[in-house]
């Protein structure tokens, strides 16, 4: 990895997953990095941020590998999930493997644990300085200037940088400032569903109460539950439902009746008292999708991660996409020798439409998880994909595998799926015409015989 002759001053707004990973990459190239995080240091204070456990796959693993952190996360903490486990109302289970051909899996990882690993790794570089309780209140994105409030002392300081990295999440202050500029396009979409975090305790003999090798899903059409395994043998679960549904669960009795009808097995695993306590101590949270373009301003400011492309969590790809942002950024730094005037516009060119595509796909996957997975047509298509993938593995790769087990561009993943749909439709039409031809053959023969008889007579 090439090291620049002149250190650039990098100001990273946001010390979450993507921001702290970016600090590691910039520091490896010799840049001077300062991280400004609004929250307190989660390594010393028990800050409860976002829920929903993370699903780590190839795109994220490659980024961690590049800074020597893959082993610390995957081998020492990650829980391998080899597929979905669907829970029906009657208690029956159905396993849906992610990759029954090559055996690829994704890993359940605690957000807090991963953030701590990344902050510790960043802090080990002498080029990196971490600043907590720092709120960005204004910025000149053209000149690389930040105005920062210390939330403890209430003092304001000015900071200058050669490059500002906006890694401050879905409600990004840096993006909000960029949105005031001409020709900056930005849209946000809230879905009409919210979520509440719930927890499945340790089972008998200190083991998992359910299979620890699966992402568990309770699909119920308009809503669903999911649960991911943790390394302490608990599960972090979330109920996703329309706010209209959640608003009806006002009392413990209403809530327990709802779970008794929809998720009776979970009610037994969690217990009535704990389930009620966990649900009513939290307000339902919203889910937002963000699209914007461009991601950069000149050579001085760049958006990455959720600040650039927040997505709903149903494809489990948001963190991986954010990590891949940094991997792509590093590849461009290598190509252009850390010349940000070339790197930033190229990043926008390569990443914007790709990120828009995965945001759309994440929306679709919610429908798949809560509804389509129970339909015969979906199961038939999955069986066809598996059959063809097993026989021509390098030609026929299912959509899920291209998203999670490759670094194929997201647009190309979707184009590949559309090509597969087209092939299957044509095969379906050919089979249908063949069957019709076979069924009609006897009638054609009879008619031909009658015509011959009429001619002879």
């Amino acid at each position: 990895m090439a090291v620049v002759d002149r250190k650039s001053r990098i100001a990273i707004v946001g010390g979450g997953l993507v921001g702290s990973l970016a600090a590691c990459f910039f520091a490896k190239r010799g840049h001077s990095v300062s991280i400004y995080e609004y929250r307190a240091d989660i390594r010393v204070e028990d800050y409860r941020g976002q829920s929903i456990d993370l699903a780590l796959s190839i795109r994220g693993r490659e980024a961690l590998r590049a800074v020597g952190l893959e082993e610390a996360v995957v081998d020492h903490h990650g829980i391998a999930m080899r597929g979905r486990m669907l829970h029906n109302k009657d208690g029956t289970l159905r396993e849906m493997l992610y990759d029954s051909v090559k055996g690829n899996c994704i890993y359940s990882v605690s957000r807090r644990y991963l953030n701590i690993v990344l902050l510790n790794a960043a802090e080990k570089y002498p080029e990196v300085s971490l600043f907590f309780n720092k709120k960005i209140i204004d910025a000149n994105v053209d000149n690389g200037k930040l105005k920062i409030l210390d939330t403890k002392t209430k003092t304001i300081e000015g900071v200058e940088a050669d490059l500002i990295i906006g890694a401050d999440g879905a409600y990004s202050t840096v993006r909000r400032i960029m949105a005031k500029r001409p020709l900056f396009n930005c849209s946000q979409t809230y879905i009409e569903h919210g979520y509440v975090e719930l927890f499945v305790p340790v089972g008998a003999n200190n083991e998992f109460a359910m299979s620890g090798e699966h992402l568990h899903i309770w699909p119920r059409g308009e809503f669903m539950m999911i649960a991911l395994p943790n390394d302490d043998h608990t599960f972090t679960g979330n109920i996703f439902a329309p706010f209209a549904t959640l608003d009806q669960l006002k009392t413990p009795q209403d809530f327990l009746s709802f779970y008794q009808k929809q998720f009776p097995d979970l009610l037994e695993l969690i217990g009535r008292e704990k389930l009620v306590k966990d649900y009513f101590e939290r307000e339902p949270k919203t889910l937002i999708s963000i699209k914007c373009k461009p991601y950069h301003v000149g050579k001085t400011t760049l958006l990455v991660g959720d600040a650039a492309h927040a997505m709903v969590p149903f494809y489990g790809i948001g963190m991986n996409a954010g990590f891949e942002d940094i991997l792509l950024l590093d590849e461009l730094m290598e190509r252009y020798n850390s010349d940000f005037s070339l790197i930033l516009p190229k990043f926008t060119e390569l990443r914007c439409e790709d990120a828009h595509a995965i945001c759309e796909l994440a929306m679709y996957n919610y429908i798949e998880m809560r509804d389509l997975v129970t339909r015969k047509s979906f199961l038939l298509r999955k069986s066809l994909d598996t059959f063809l993938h097993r026989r021509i593995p390098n030609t026929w790769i299912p959509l899920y595998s291209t998203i999670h087990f490759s670094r194929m561009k997201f647009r190309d993943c979707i184009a590949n799926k559309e090509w597969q749909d087209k092939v299957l439709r044509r095969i379906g039409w050919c089979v249908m015409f063949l069957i019709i031809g076979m069924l009609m053959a006897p009638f054609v023969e009879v008619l031909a015989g009658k015509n011959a008889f009429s001619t002879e007579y």
Side-chain angles (χ1 to χ4, degrees):
M1 185 177 283
V3 178
V4 294
D5 295 329
R6 181 184 69 83
K7 286 185 177 181
S8 293
R9 299 164 300 169
I10 313 297
I12 299 178
V13 181
L17 302 177
V18 175
S20 50
L21 177 67
C24 295
F25 274 92
F26 280 116
K28 283 194 72 172
R29 291 190 172 275
H31 297 293
S32 176
V33 183
S34 296
I35 296 179
Y36 299 95
E37 169 56 47
Y38 174 67
R39 301 171 299 175
D41 189 343
I42 63 170
R43 298 171 297 175
V44 296
E45 293 191 24
D46 187 16
Y47 175 82
R48 187 175 189 83
Q50 297 184 59
S51 58
I52 308 177
D53 276 13
L54 305 167
L56 179 67
S57 55
I58 290 298
R59 297 172 197 268
R61 290 179 63 181
E62 285 201 9
L64 292 172
R65 187 182 309 142
V67 288
L69 296 177
E70 182 185 25
E71 182 180 348
V73 175
V74 174
D75 295 344
H76 296 165
H77 178 78
I79 305 295
M81 300 185 294
R82 58 195 184 96
R84 298 168 174 171
M85 185 66 78
L86 306 184
H87 295 248
N88 298 316
K89 279 188 183 182
D90 60 6
T92 58
L93 304 175
R94 178 189 292 125
E95 182 185 47
M96 296 179 66
L97 296 178
Y98 291 131
D99 186 356
S100 60
V101 177
K102 297 182 179 180
N104 285 308
C105 62
I106 59 177
Y107 290 82
S108 174
V109 179
S110 159
R111 183 185 298 272
R112 178 183 173 83
Y113 172 85
L114 182 53
N115 203 170
I116 289 173
V117 167
L118 289 167
L119 286 171
N120 287 338
E123 198 171 44
K124 288 180 181 178
Y125 291 96
E127 296 86 355
V128 176
S129 299
L130 304 178
F131 301 96
F132 298 96
N133 303 297
K134 303 291 186 179
K135 181 180 180 180
I136 308 304
I137 57 176
D138 199 7
N140 186 324
V141 293
D142 291 287
N143 297 323
K145 295 181 179 180
L146 294 168
K147 188 179 291 186
I148 300 173
L149 169 70
D150 186 305
T151 58
K152 285 193 171 181
T153 65
K154 305 304 179 184
T155 58
I156 295 176
E157 62 178 312
V159 171
E160 293 189 15
D162 299 301
L163 176 63
I164 298 170
I165 297 291
D168 47 342
Y171 303 97
S172 168
T173 299
V174 178
R175 188 186 66 242
R176 177 173 52 80
I177 293 169
M178 287 174 62
K180 298 175 183 178
R181 297 171 54 82
L183 302 180
F184 183 84
N185 295 310
C186 185
S187 67
Q188 66 177 39
T189 303
Y190 283 97
I191 66 172
E192 296 179 356
H193 294 65
Y195 71 95
V196 180
E197 188 176 57
L198 302 167
F199 304 92
V200 179
V202 175
N205 301 318
N206 202 35
E207 296 295 333
F208 284 114
M210 306 177 289
S211 167
E213 298 182 334
H214 296 85
L215 186 156
H216 294 263
I217 306 175
W218 290 258
R220 297 296 184 264
E222 282 297 312
F223 50 87
M224 70 173 182
M225 272 283 305
I226 68 167
L228 280 73
N230 300 313
D231 60 355
D232 62 357
H233 293 173
T234 63
F235 287 85
T236 300
N238 288 274
I239 177 171
F240 296 93
F243 280 103
T245 299
L246 297 175
D247 288 344
Q248 295 176 8
L249 309 179
K250 295 294 188 183
T251 68
Q253 183 178 355
D254 292 337
F255 179 69
L256 290 173
S257 297
F258 174 77
Y259 263 73
Q260 183 64 59
K261 180 180 179 181
Q262 301 293 344
F263 313 112
D265 54 341
L266 265 178
L267 186 60
E268 182 177 341
L269 288 175
I270 299 176
R272 291 173 175 264
E273 185 176 339
K274 177 175 175 54
L275 189 61
V276 168
K277 176 180 178 297
D278 289 345
Y279 181 82
F280 284 99
E281 73 178 12
R282 298 172 179 84
E283 290 292 325
K285 296 182 180 179
T286 57
L287 293 162
I288 192 172
S289 179
I290 299 287
K291 296 178 187 175
C292 65
K293 186 177 182 178
Y295 289 156
H296 74 287
V297 175
K299 61 178 182 179
T300 53
T301 304
L302 182 69
L303 298 174
V304 294
D306 282 355
H309 46 69
M311 62 195 73
V312 293
F314 305 114
Y315 225 109
I317 199 67
M319 173 196 65
N320 295 284
F323 282 6
E324 191 177 45
D325 285 352
I326 307 306
L327 200 55
L328 172 61
L329 183 60
D330 188 66
E331 291 165 357
L332 293 174
M333 284 196 287
E334 180 71 26
R335 185 190 306 178
Y336 297 114
N337 194 30
S338 293
D339 184 344
F340 299 129
S341 67
L342 300 175
I343 292 168
L344 271 55
K346 193 65 176 179
F347 182 89
T348 286
E349 176 190 334
L350 294 175
R351 201 58 172 165
C352 267
E353 300 306 321
D354 238 23
H356 292 176
I358 193 60
C359 284
E360 291 292 337
L361 203 56
M363 284 283 198
Y364 164 80
N365 208 51
Y366 183 33
I367 301 172
E368 176 179 309
M369 291 176 72
R370 63 182 166 85
D371 185 21
L372 299 184
V373 290
T374 62
R375 299 191 181 186
K376 292 180 180 179
S377 57
F378 177 86
L379 299 174
L380 175 61
R381 174 57 191 269
K382 184 169 178 61
S383 298
L384 280 172
D385 280 337
T386 301
F387 174 82
L388 293 168
H389 184 42
R390 181 171 286 115
R391 279 149 184 80
I392 43 175
N394 296 322
T395 302
W396 196 278
I397 307 174
L399 176 63
Y400 192 92
S401 292
T402 61
I403 295 293
H404 275 289
F405 306 132
S406 82
R407 282 199 62 201
M408 183 186 295
K409 290 182 178 180
F410 293 125
R411 286 172 291 175
D412 293 342
C413 295
I414 294 173
N416 181 64
K417 170 66 161 53
E418 291 172 346
W419 169 79
Q420 292 173 348
D421 292 344
K422 186 176 181 179
V423 169
L424 291 178
R425 280 196 300 270
R426 290 185 174 181
I427 291 174
W429 280 109
C430 290
V431 170
M432 185 178 71
F433 286 131
L434 180 62
I435 292 173
I436 292 173
M438 293 173 63
L439 292 174
M440 292 296 294
F443 297 101
V444 173
E445 290 178 4
V446 170
L447 289 173
K450 285 184 177 180
N451 289 337
F453 177 78
S454 298
T455 304
E456 291 173 4
Y457 179 76

